[in-house]
Amino acid sequence: MAYSKKVIDHYENPRNVGSYDKNAVDIGTGLVGAPACGDVMKLQIKVKDGIIEDAKFKTFGCGSAIASSSVITEWVKGKTIDEALTIKNIEIAEHLALPPVKIHCSVLAEDAIRAAVNDYKSKQTNNPQH
Amino acid sequence: MRNLSLQEQCWSCKDVIKITALLCPTCHKIQPLREMNEFQRLDLETSFELDLVHLEKQYFQLQRKLHPDNFVGASALEKDFSRLHSAAVNHSYIILKDPLKRAECFLQIQGFSLSDKNIGLEDANLLMEIMEMREAIDVASSSNALAQVLNHARDIFEKGLEDLSHYFVQKVYAHAVKELQHLKYINNIMQECCVQLKKFA
């Protein structure tokens, strides 16, 4: 199976790899896994005034999973947290020209955004002073 | 599961034979490949518990019977049948001899899917454990540090395999799916440790 140029580019030069302190109030952490293949993906968003200022990821899995998470760190930046939730896996899959057997990698990325936003939101409910 | 007590006609001599027959008992011609599960393909009981020595014996016995080398002088059709049988037996053997692949195959036959979102997928503690081990591999700066992660992963793996066997014996398949998911993550971690260890060697 041949990877598209975009997948290879993101795989070889992943954007925004790294971690934030998962306990910080302005950080939302999404940790998701694909049990069928054993891949894990962590997406963290740094939020200020409802806008995602920055995002970092760490993915341990195949090239498509790494590329999918790399792409979403670029896409969520500058968006409000609710706008970020509108990113659909099919857009990621189309952008990276993922083959059908790798669509689940883009689903994982979409799940990671939702998990990160949910984590951020629950922190705000528990820390109303912020 | 396919009913293997059914009968069919031999394509060559038209005698009525069992669908499980590989060679026709009357004319000894090789029969077409029939649909069956991996366990049936190796003529084994469909069960996770498996004697690996017996599995290997079945494998070699079947290949001795079906391998294309035995059909060098046969018709093109028989050569085709032999090739398909031989490939199917290889494929099933590879699945059955690996405990994780065998478990996944068995669970699929029971109607369970590993990607089933309703079973244990969003287990935050599990994912945290996996991510921490992955990060430990990432920052490991010596073969010692890697070996430590590998040993830890192996312990978890062996314990998990035991649990998995219990779940199969007790027929609690939802638990088995969850444990198998866990083991797949751990298996990937062990593989990654080995890849990284080679870089230090």
Side-chain angles (χ1 to χ4, degrees):
Chain A
M1 181 195 59
Y3 280 128
S4 70
K5 276 188 185 143
K6 277 179 182 160
V7 171
I8 292 168
D9 175 37
H10 277 278
Y11 179 71
E12 288 180 344
N13 311 291
R15 328 293 200 260
N16 311 305
V17 174
S19 281
Y20 280 115
D21 174 9
K22 68 177 189 318
N23 298 316
V25 184
D26 61 339
I27 301 296
T29 301
L31 193 52
V32 291
C37 51
D39 290 356
V40 275
M41 185 182 286
K42 181 171 78 174
L43 172 72
Q44 294 188 299
I45 51 172
K46 189 178 199 300
V47 184
K48 195 177 178 190
D49 303 327
I51 307 262
I52 299 173
E53 267 194 324
D54 200 9
K56 288 192 188 298
F57 84 96
K58 262 192 187 182
T59 292
F60 299 98
C62 67
S64 301
I66 291 169
S68 296
S69 35
S70 174
V71 162
I72 56 167
T73 57
E74 290 193 318
W75 286 4
V76 297
K77 265 192 232 179
K79 285 192 163 67
T80 67
I81 50 175
D82 287 323
E83 279 166 0
L85 288 176
T86 64
I87 296 173
K88 290 283 165 269
N89 86 282
I90 195 73
E91 301 167 55
I92 304 164
E94 274 173 12
H95 179 77
L96 292 172
L98 295 182
V101 292
K102 290 293 177 182
I103 297 296
H104 68 274
C105 299
S106 63
V107 175
L108 200 59
E110 185 190 320
D111 288 347
I113 299 175
R114 199 172 316 119
V117 168
N118 286 345
D119 180 58
Y120 174 77
K121 282 184 176 170
S122 75
K123 273 182 183 169
Q124 307 319 303
T125 330
N126 299 331
N127 297 276
Q129 76 279 9
H130 184 78
Chain B
M1 212 173 297
R2 186 163 160 101
N3 182 356
L4 296 182
S5 60
L6 293 175
Q7 297 193 316
E8 226 144 0
Q9 251 189 347
C10 168
W11 62 273
S12 179
C13 72
K14 310 292 177 208
D15 237 16
V16 174
I17 58 172
K18 283 188 184 163
I19 64 156
T20 51
L22 302 167
L23 307 177
C24 170
T26 314
C27 69
H28 306 295
K29 293 281 188 195
I30 188 166
Q31 298 300 305
L33 188 71
R34 318 274 187 202
E35 204 179 296
M36 52 180 80
N37 75 38
E38 320 297 341
F39 296 89
Q40 294 165 339
R41 181 78 60 207
L42 270 297
D43 200 11
L44 296 162
E45 192 191 333
T46 301
S47 154
F48 175 72
E49 295 306 315
L50 188 63
D51 177 355
L52 290 177
V53 177
H54 183 54
L55 168 68
E56 193 170 90
K57 215 177 100 195
Q58 292 292 94
Y59 171 69
F60 283 118
Q61 214 163 41
L62 285 164
Q63 284 298 20
R64 262 200 298 277
K65 214 182 271 184
L66 301 164
H67 197 272
D69 284 356
N70 299 336
F71 296 88
V72 177
S75 68
L77 184 67
E78 289 165 87
K79 278 182 181 156
D80 261 358
F81 288 163
S82 149
R83 202 171 35 76
L84 291 173
H85 270 293
S86 185
V89 167
N90 274 340
H91 177 80
S92 298
Y93 176 64
I94 287 167
I95 289 175
L96 294 183
K97 75 173 175 181
D98 178 310
L100 298 195
K101 291 192 178 120
R102 181 167 77 244
E104 187 167 355
C105 171
F106 180 79
L107 285 167
Q108 264 165 12
I109 293 168
Q110 305 299 328
F112 289 86
S113 158
L114 265 199
S115 325
D116 191 338
K117 292 227 167 201
N118 297 318
I119 304 175
L121 186 64
E122 301 305 329
D123 187 332
N125 289 335
L126 163 74
L127 289 173
M128 197 71 83
E129 174 198 16
I130 301 302
M131 192 46 100
E132 277 169 9
M133 289 172 84
R134 285 289 193 170
E135 286 177 339
I137 298 173
D138 235 18
V139 300
S141 52
S142 68
S143 56
N144 261 353
L146 280 170
Q148 225 172 358
V149 181
L150 180 58
N151 286 338
H152 179 50
R154 273 197 185 130
D155 288 345
I156 297 174
F157 191 82
E158 272 159 33
K159 166 84 172 54
L161 265 190
E162 271 175 38
D163 290 346
L164 187 64
S165 291
H166 284 305
Y167 296 142
F168 279 121
V169 170
Q170 292 161 4
K171 295 189 169 54
V172 278
Y173 296 138
H175 282 57
V177 169
K178 204 171 162 180
E179 190 54 54
L180 180 57
Q181 291 176 345
H182 182 203
L183 284 168
K184 280 198 133 185
Y185 286 120
I186 299 291
N187 195 37
N188 283 4
I189 284 172
M190 296 190 327
Q191 278 175 5
E192 184 62 23
C193 282
C194 294
V195 169
Q196 296 300 325
L197 271 169
K198 279 193 189 125
K199 293 185 183 167
F200 281 102

